[in-house]
Amino acid sequence: MQLSHGGEPSPAGAPVARWSVEQVLALAPDTASRKAGTRLGAAGPWSGTGCDATGAVWGLCKGSGSTPYRTVVDPTGPAYQCSCPSRKFPCKHALGLLLLRASDDAAFRSAEPADWAEEWLAGRRARAARTSSPAAGGGSVRGPADPAAARKRAERRAERVTGGAQELEQRLADLLRGGLAATDRSGYGLWEETAARMVDAQAPGLAARVRELGAITGSGPGWPVRLLEECGLLHLLDAAWLGRDRLPDPLAATVRTRVGLHLSAEGPPVRDHWLVLAQYDIPDGKIVARRIWLYGRGSGRTALLLSFGAAGRPPAQALPVGATIDAELTPYPGGGQLRAELGEQFGATAAAGPPPGIAAAAAPAVYGNALRDDPWLDAWPVTLRDVIPVPSKDGWQVADAHADAHPGARTGSALPLAPAALSRPGLWKLVALSGGGPVTVFGEIGHRGFDPFAAWDPGEGVEGGGATGGSVVRLV
């Protein structure tokens, strides 16, 4: 079994990342794998374990048969190979090997890889070299084989989306003419039928937003106001699509993405040492979307990796939170250009503390500026520095540590936590980590508040302050 991208090992002399137990468990595809991997995270079932200067680890795990399973893990990617029949990535043996490495360094001797491990590692490096060298014949040219046919297909789809947008505009006008309160009597069928029409028009982005409208109706006090707000955003997206020829290129690209058209990553790749800030999954029907946030140490850019899993299988792409990878990212077009595609990886290095942050009081302005490039943004990534989680009458908030110590004076220097954060165990991890003192927290700021995803120990520095990979606490 193998996962993710190929890549070269870390340059000689570069510090190799050693993942923490929490980072390893975050790679597990499901709860059952996490439990099974934990049981194999002790030295008992393992023999022939070893590691090399690139961070690769290997070992033989005793199973129910007479032949032990051969397991090897390359942190570049990361990628896994195991002789077991499991279809999960990583399997329980790969998780157990990484957990043993995280908890018992003495169980591994530094040596050249075993023959069977070296064969797989060498194959990965050879494939990566061919992929990154077009002159060697391994390069691939992106784009359709027949540009003219692809252009015609794109034009036909654009026409169908335009027809769907025009129909949706009429339905929104009828809805407002009849009054929003009447939608409570129509039931969800009204929205589902409209969403189905948008699917027929090949505009899945519009269909998803219509279904969200159906979830708002009758959802609690004030729902007509929330419904009107979302109807306004949907009308804005419709109008933007119908007038996309008059929009600036970045905004036009954002509109195409929002209605559901696929865009490819383009532009020059950005190579940097990318700190993995957060990783979490969002179920969407039968599909699971995985979001991975990265921060470039050199470029100062924040990037989002998106991957998807279907038919009950988790997305293949997985990176340990708190690790730093030396890699290239290619940005997608659109407002803000946050989404990127992970390209060639050159190795993994030791983490060096959290990224630089801002005060809680400054976060709403950052979100507001981002809305100018993408008015349909639900949230925007920010790192808050020196904030303290404190209870409020409506739940919890994160307040600037250097604001006036009187609770009543924190109003302009605090952010309410989003409702989703209040129901997760991560809230209590954040409170325990803080202990009433300031912490650095990464998350997303939106119209519902701040949603924290990761936090760093109060004693850790920023940008090379000596933090290790285990200093980060995952909150999702």
Side-chain angles (χ1 to χ4, degrees):
M1 58 181 64
Q2 181 176 337
L3 171 65
S4 194
H5 304 262
E8 291 299 319
S10 302
V16 177
R18 181 183 171 192
W19 298 339
S20 68
V21 170
E22 186 178 42
Q23 289 172 327
V24 173
L25 292 177
L27 298 175
D30 51 40
T31 302
S33 297
R34 189 177 298 112
K35 291 180 179 178
T38 300
R39 289 195 293 268
L40 296 176
W46 293 96
S47 62
T49 53
C51 61
D52 65 10
T54 71
V57 293
W58 58 89
L60 302 173
C61 185
K62 181 177 176 55
S64 56
S66 58
T67 303
Y69 295 117
R70 295 177 171 181
T71 308
V72 56
V73 179
D74 183 355
T76 302
Y80 322 89
Q81 171 72 23
C82 185
S83 59
C84 75
S86 174
R87 295 173 58 87
K88 295 182 178 180
F89 300 95
C91 67
K92 63 181 181 180
H93 305 102
L95 290 171
L97 183 64
L98 289 172
L99 288 171
L100 179 61
R101 172 66 169 157
S103 60
D104 187 2
D105 193 36
F108 293 80
R109 62 184 183 89
S110 181
E112 292 296 319
D115 293 342
W116 53 270
E118 174 59 28
E119 181 180 358
W120 179 74
L121 292 169
R124 278 177 48 76
R125 293 163 187 153
R127 288 190 297 271
R130 289 195 299 268
T131 302
S132 62
S133 177
S140 60
V141 179
R142 290 189 179 184
D146 187 346
R151 183 172 61 253
K152 290 181 180 179
R153 288 194 298 270
E155 290 173 354
R156 287 196 298 268
R157 182 175 182 184
E159 290 175 0
R160 297 191 67 172
V161 173
T162 296
Q166 291 171 339
E167 179 180 344
L168 183 56
E169 279 293 277
Q170 184 61 51
R171 294 194 177 208
L172 287 175
D174 294 342
L175 174 68
L176 295 176
R177 190 178 298 111
L180 294 179
T183 61
D184 195 18
R185 298 190 297 271
S186 302
Y188 192 76
L190 166 69
W191 306 106
E192 187 56 40
E193 191 268 338
T194 303
R197 293 290 298 155
M198 296 304 103
V199 172
D200 292 340
Q202 295 185 298
L206 295 180
R209 286 191 167 268
V210 169
R211 291 192 177 97
E212 290 175 0
L213 296 182
I216 294 174
T217 302
S219 59
W223 69 262
V225 175
R226 296 193 297 274
L227 182 60
L228 180 61
E229 291 174 348
E230 293 302 321
C231 284
L233 286 173
L234 184 54
H235 164 69
L236 181 64
L237 182 56
D238 268 347
W241 170 261
L242 297 175
R244 62 191 180 282
D245 294 338
R246 301 187 299 272
L247 298 178
D249 289 344
L251 183 56
T254 297
V255 171
R256 289 194 291 270
T257 301
R258 290 296 182 183
V259 300
L261 300 187
H262 174 73
L263 298 179
S264 299
E266 60 185 32
V270 179
R271 181 175 176 179
D272 206 337
H273 288 81
W274 299 95
L275 170 64
V276 183
L277 297 171
Q279 173 180 298
Y280 60 97
D281 295 343
I282 302 177
D284 184 9
K286 295 182 179 180
I287 297 176
V288 176
R290 174 164 293 170
R291 298 167 67 89
I292 302 177
W293 285 108
L294 305 175
Y295 172 77
R297 295 278 182 194
S299 63
R301 299 177 62 161
T302 301
L304 173 66
L305 305 181
L306 279 179
S307 58
F308 302 90
R313 300 191 64 180
Q317 194 169 72
L319 295 172
V321 176
T324 302
I325 59 173
D326 180 4
E328 290 182 342
L329 297 186
T330 302
Y332 281 77
Q337 290 191 331
L338 284 183
R339 187 184 175 188
E341 182 178 278
L342 182 62
E344 184 177 0
Q345 298 183 49
F346 305 92
T349 61
I358 61 175
V366 173
Y367 176 49
N369 289 334
L371 286 173
R372 293 186 299 185
D373 295 325
D374 185 352
W376 303 277
L377 272 175
D378 291 325
W380 187 259
V382 292
T383 300
L384 304 181
R385 181 111 183 259
D386 293 335
V387 293
I388 303 173
V390 294
S392 65
K393 64 177 182 179
D394 298 320
W396 284 80
Q397 59 186 6
V398 284
D400 286 326
H402 303 302
D404 191 310
H406 189 276
R410 292 186 184 271
T411 304
S413 304
L415 296 173
L417 292 188
L422 300 178
S423 60
R424 290 198 302 260
L427 170 62
W428 305 111
K429 291 184 181 180
L430 177 61
V431 173
L433 179 68
S434 166
V439 292
T440 297
V441 185
F442 169 78
E444 293 179 358
I445 173 69
H447 62 281
R448 295 182 179 276
F450 178 70
D451 197 354
F453 296 153
W456 284 263
D457 188 288
E460 301 295 348
V462 176
E463 288 293 293
T468 63
S471 64
V472 64
V473 176
R474 296 180 73 243
L475 305 178
V476 292

